């Protein structure tokens, strides 16, 4: 195998990726142990125990509160990141740059250009939204959030636009700089030989004949290490990727990914100066354990309380055989009150104390994970007040952490999707080239921001009503352009205007045609009748001439 890394240029970490992975994963053990601990009392399947094999028993807990906490917060984070029936991104024009790039145009032409570009950008947002809805991005994002909530770390891989993949932290290692930016990620993968290049796979079968001989194709696997490395300058980084097996680069695995990594190591609560982040559940570890242990004690207490034993006083007048044979509502002779007793567990007050303490911890978790919120609705039309309340609750409950997520994890997911969509459909408009370089800025919407275009539409309607009230219909028509109003309103609603809103020249042509029609309609009735009569006489004369010619006689008798 090739262990010489001097001639590999950028595609090298200075040593085999497997060796570096083995050394760095020891620094991951403490964080991974905490992640497994928190998963045990929330959702055990998020982080199976070490040595877990598919189909093994993962474990079980004594309550579902932890799972409800993780699921609820993950759902709301996804809901705010990808609002229903709203684009997850917004393209904003840098108007001063646009005007600078088009100094030769008049102010009116600049405004028309600005309006048309806003409409086109809104249409492009809708195009991206529809494509995203046809992928598994939302579903994968929920899984991503669950991993981050319980373990604090997870890797997002997006190679094919429709199939993003989330990797648990026990499958990769990451190295970061002091600013928290990833320098490289090493992902450990188990691949089938059939999925590798044929020449390389055939060589593996020959070199490891003892391991693979007699095995079915789906049983022939090797462990590889995929590297995603940051290269280039600090201000303009780019990312490269390759896969190694025992220090050798697997043929065909080299890839240059430009300015967005294919494997992004996300962390929920950043720990700058360290390689791994911390989890949200870890901050509420005490209450999670109170709920887990409290419900465990209550379950044991219920089992004890439900355990029913009868006793009969020895030598009493009541016979045990009569009690055993007696059916319900039958008579038995004897002193039942004094001779028969039932085993009792006199710990009601103790159980009440455990129940109250557990309930208090459960309420604290409900507030921390927004389980008490009822503003989330699955609807196409969600009011602005609901958005404001939900995003405000997220930031308040998470200590501002939601804003960090929006500009790191969520931003990468959206920007990577946009890059893949442009790669899939090269004919998508490139407005930077049309309007001038760097005049369009991509913003990631976070709940209430998603309604900004709708707010623009509401503001337009309010302005028009105010102008009509203050200036009258005619005055409002003089100061406000109906065409511009329609274009901006369409942009606020994300409606495509092609073939819907007429251009100025078309409107003028229509107005001229209507004007001419109106003039004709207002002509004197006598004039119209005279013209009609003249046309009728002309038609009669032509008919007589035609008949005379057919009979060989001229109309005047000649």
């Amino acid at each position: 195998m090739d262990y010489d890394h001097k001639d590999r240029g950028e595609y090298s970490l200075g040593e085999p990726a497997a060796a570096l992975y083995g050394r760095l994963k020891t620094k991951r053990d403490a964080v991974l142990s905490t992640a497994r601990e928190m998963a045990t009392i929330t959702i055990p399947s998020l982080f199976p125990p070490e040595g877990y094999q598919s189909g093994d028993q993962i474990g079980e807990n004594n309550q579902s509160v932890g799972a409800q906490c993780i699921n609820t917060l993950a759902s709301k984070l996804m809901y705010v990141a990808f609002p229903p029936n709203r684009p997850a991104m917004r393209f904003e024009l840098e108007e001063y740059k646009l005007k600078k790039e088009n100094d030769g145009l008049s102010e009116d032409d600049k405004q028309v250009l600005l309006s048309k570009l806003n409409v086109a950008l809104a249409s492009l947002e809708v195009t991206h939204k529809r494509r995203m809805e046809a992928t598994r991005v939302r579903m994968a994002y929920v899984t991503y959030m669950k991993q981050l909530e319980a373990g604090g770390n997870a890797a997002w891989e997006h190679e094919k636009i429709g199939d993003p993949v989330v990797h648990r932290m026990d499958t990769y290692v990451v190295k970061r700089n002091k600013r928290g930016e990833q320098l490289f990620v090493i992902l450990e993968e188990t691949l089938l030989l059939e999925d590798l290049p044929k020449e390389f796979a055939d060589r593996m079968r020959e070199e490891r004949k003892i391991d693979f001989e007699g095995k079915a194709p789906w049983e022939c696997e090797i462990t590889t290490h995929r590297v995603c490395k940051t290269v280039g300058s600090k201000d303009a980084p780019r990312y490269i990727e390759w896969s190694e097996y025992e220090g050798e680069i697997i043929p065909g695995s080299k890839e240059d990914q430009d300015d967005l990594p294919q494997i992004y190591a996300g962390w929920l609560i950043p720990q700058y100066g360290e390689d791994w982040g911390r989890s949200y559940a870890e901050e509420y570890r005490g209450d999670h354990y109170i709920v887990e242990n409290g419900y465990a004690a209550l379950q044991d207490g219920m089992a004890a309380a439900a355990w029913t034993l009868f006793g009969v006083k020895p030598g009493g007048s009541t016979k045990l055989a009569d009690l055993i044979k007696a059916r319900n509502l039958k008579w038995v002779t004897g002193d039942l009150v004094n001779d028969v007793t039932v085993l009792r567990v006199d710990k009601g007050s103790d159980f009440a104390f455990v129940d109250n303490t557990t309930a208090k911890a459960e309420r604290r978790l409900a507030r921390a994970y927004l389980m008490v919120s009822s503003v989330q609705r699955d609807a196409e039309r969600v009011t602005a007040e609901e958005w404001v309340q939900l995003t405000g609750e997220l930031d308040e409950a998470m200590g501002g952490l939601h804003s960090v997520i929006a500009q790191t994890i969520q931003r990468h997911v959206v920007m990577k999707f946009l890059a893949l969509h442009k790669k899939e459909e090269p004919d998508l408009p490139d407005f930077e080239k049309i309007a001038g370089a760097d005049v369009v800025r991509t913003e990631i919407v976070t709940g209430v921001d998603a309604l900004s275009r709708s707010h623009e539409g509401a503001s337009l309607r309010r302005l028009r009503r105010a102008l009509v009230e203050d200036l009258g219909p005619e005055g409002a028509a003089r100061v406000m352009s109906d065409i511009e109003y329609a274009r901006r309103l369409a942009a606020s609603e994300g409606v495509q205007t092609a073939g819907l809103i007429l251009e100025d020249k078309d409107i003028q042509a229509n107005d001229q045609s209507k004007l001419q029609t109106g003039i004709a309609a207002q002509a004197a009735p006598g004039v119209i009748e005279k013209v009609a009569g003249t046309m009728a006489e002309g038609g009669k004369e032509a008919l007589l001439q035609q008949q005379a010619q057919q009979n060989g006689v001229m109309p005047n008798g000649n």
Side-chain angles (χ1 to χ4, degrees):
M1 295 298 178
D2 176 19
Y3 294 98
D4 186 5
H5 291 253
K6 296 180 181 179
D7 299 330
R8 285 170 43 171
E10 294 179 334
Y11 292 88
S12 173
L13 295 174
E15 60 180 302
L20 186 55
Y21 179 89
R23 193 166 71 251
L24 290 178
K25 76 175 185 178
T26 59
K27 298 182 180 181
R28 182 191 64 189
D29 289 343
V31 182
L32 180 57
S33 176
T34 302
R36 285 177 172 148
E37 175 188 351
M38 299 314 301
T40 300
I41 54 178
T42 54
I43 305 178
S45 60
L46 288 177
F47 291 96
E50 189 173 0
Y52 168 81
Q53 298 293 328
S54 179
D56 290 352
Q57 181 68 29
I58 294 179
E60 55 188 31
N61 46 33
N62 296 285
Q63 40 75 39
S64 62
V65 176
Q68 291 175 357
C69 289
I70 298 293
N71 288 329
T72 299
L73 186 56
S75 175
K76 291 189 175 180
L77 286 172
M78 185 279 294
Y79 182 77
V80 174
F82 304 103
N85 204 36
R86 292 285 173 185
M89 76 298 296
R90 186 172 68 249
F91 301 123
E92 289 289 340
L93 280 174
E94 300 280 4
E95 295 187 17
Y96 73 96
K97 292 183 180 179
L98 178 65
K99 292 180 179 180
K100 183 178 179 181
E101 291 288 336
N102 296 274
D103 283 337
L105 299 178
S106 66
E107 287 299 321
D108 290 340
D109 290 338
K110 288 179 181 179
Q111 285 302 119
V112 171
L113 176 61
L114 181 64
S115 173
K116 290 183 178 180
L117 282 174
N118 275 322
V119 172
L121 290 174
S123 176
L124 184 59
E125 291 171 8
V126 174
T127 301
H128 286 306
K129 176 190 75 71
R130 289 173 178 170
R131 183 66 184 94
M132 181 178 286
E133 289 174 349
T135 68
R136 299 191 305 112
V137 170
R138 282 187 172 92
M139 182 180 69
Y141 193 80
V142 172
T143 302
Y144 197 27
M145 289 297 104
K146 290 180 182 180
Q147 292 283 331
L148 291 170
E149 287 176 46
N153 302 271
W156 178 274
E157 180 188 355
H158 208 167
E159 180 180 3
K160 298 179 180 179
I161 188 170
D163 298 305
V165 180
V166 177
H167 297 283
R168 294 196 313 261
M169 62 183 299
D170 59 346
T171 62
Y172 71 94
V173 296
V174 60
K175 188 65 180 175
R176 305 180 188 271
N177 59 21
K178 63 180 180 181
R179 298 184 298 275
E181 301 163 342
Q182 69 179 47
L183 300 177
F184 62 82
V185 177
I186 305 177
L187 178 66
E188 188 174 71
E189 297 179 299
T190 300
L191 302 177
L192 293 173
L193 290 181
E194 288 189 338
D195 295 333
L196 297 169
K198 185 177 186 306
E199 182 179 349
F200 180 81
D202 291 341
R203 181 156 62 86
M204 289 296 100
R205 290 188 181 92
E206 183 64 27
E207 292 179 359
R208 297 182 55 179
K209 185 180 297 185
I210 298 178
D211 298 329
F212 299 141
E213 190 172 9
K215 289 187 176 180
W218 58 86
E219 297 176 306
C220 299
E221 301 174 328
I222 62 172
T223 299
T224 65
H225 292 84
R226 184 144 55 105
V227 181
C228 182
K229 179 183 175 183
T230 307
V231 296
S233 65
K234 178 180 67 175
D235 298 328
R238 61 186 183 87
Y239 302 88
I240 60 175
E241 183 181 305
W242 73 92
S243 295
E244 290 185 15
Y245 175 73
E246 295 184 356
E248 176 189 5
I249 292 183
I250 298 176
S253 65
K254 289 183 179 180
E255 184 177 352
D256 195 329
Q257 300 168 7
D258 298 325
D259 58 345
L260 287 171
Q262 189 163 292
I263 303 175
Y264 174 77
W267 54 356
L268 188 64
I269 302 178
Q271 303 291 310
Y272 296 102
E274 300 182 14
D275 297 328
W276 301 94
R278 292 293 178 176
S279 69
Y280 190 69
E282 185 179 348
E283 296 186 343
Y284 299 94
R285 188 198 312 240
D287 282 339
H288 276 295
Y289 269 112
I290 289 176
V291 172
E292 169 66 17
N293 295 332
Y295 274 103
L298 290 174
Q299 287 180 11
D300 293 341
M302 285 190 297
W307 191 30
T308 304
L309 292 177
F310 296 97
V312 177
K313 180 179 180 180
S317 60
T318 305
K319 297 181 180 179
L320 177 60
D322 293 340
L323 292 176
I324 295 174
K325 295 177 181 179
R327 290 179 296 173
N328 189 32
L329 300 178
K330 295 298 181 180
W331 294 95
V332 176
T333 59
D335 188 1
L336 296 181
V337 175
N338 295 316
D339 292 348
V340 180
T341 58
V342 181
L343 180 64
R344 298 181 59 188
V345 180
D346 295 324
K347 295 183 69 67
S349 60
D350 296 336
F351 290 154
F353 170 75
V354 174
D355 187 34
N356 291 336
T357 304
T358 303
K360 290 179 181 178
E362 188 172 346
R363 286 194 293 270
R364 290 194 294 268
L365 289 176
R367 287 194 297 270
Y369 287 89
L370 297 183
M371 295 171 62
V372 294
S373 174
S374 60
V375 300
Q376 178 180 347
R377 294 190 297 116
D378 185 11
E380 292 186 357
R381 294 292 181 184
V382 181
T383 65
E385 290 75 12
E386 288 176 313
W387 280 115
V388 172
Q389 183 178 350
L390 180 55
T391 51
E393 285 181 352
L394 280 170
D395 260 333
E396 182 180 354
M398 302 181 73
L401 190 59
H402 172 250
S403 297
V404 177
I405 294 174
Q407 295 305 320
T408 54
I409 297 168
Q410 180 184 342
R411 182 173 185 82
H412 170 80
V413 172
V414 174
M415 296 301 290
K416 187 64 177 178
F417 170 82
L418 293 180
L420 290 173
H421 194 193
K422 291 178 182 177
K423 185 177 179 181
E424 180 186 61
E425 298 186 32
D427 294 335
L428 285 175
D430 189 345
F431 290 102
E432 291 186 356
K433 294 180 180 178
I434 295 175
D438 299 327
V439 299
V440 178
R441 183 180 69 253
T442 302
E443 293 185 357
I444 307 303
V445 300
T446 54
V448 67
D449 295 334
L451 298 177
S452 61
R453 290 200 183 275
S454 293
H455 287 166
E456 293 172 6
S459 299
L460 282 171
R461 292 185 177 94
R462 286 196 298 270
L463 175 61
R464 190 179 183 90
R465 285 197 298 269
L467 290 175
V468 171
E469 291 174 2
D470 295 344
L471 304 178
E474 294 182 359
R478 283 197 302 269
V479 299
M480 176 176 278
S481 168
D482 289 341
I483 299 175
E484 187 64 19
Y485 173 79
R487 285 173 180 162
R488 295 193 182 190
L489 193 62
S492 70
E493 297 295 336
V495 177
Q496 298 187 14
T497 60
L500 178 64
I501 296 179
L502 299 176
E503 300 293 334
D504 291 343
K505 60 180 182 180
D506 297 326
I507 294 178
Q508 292 175 2
N510 287 345
D511 291 343
Q512 184 67 24
S513 176
K514 290 179 181 178
L515 179 61
Q516 293 175 353
T517 304
I519 292 175
Q522 293 175 4
V527 174
I528 296 176
E529 292 174 359
K530 184 176 181 180
V531 171
T534 302
M535 294 177 63
E537 289 295 332
K540 181 179 180 180
E541 182 67 23
L543 180 59
L544 291 173
Q545 290 180 0
Q546 182 180 0
Q547 291 176 350
Q549 289 175 357
Q550 290 176 354
N551 297 327
V553 179
M554 296 302 293
N556 293 330
N558 296 327

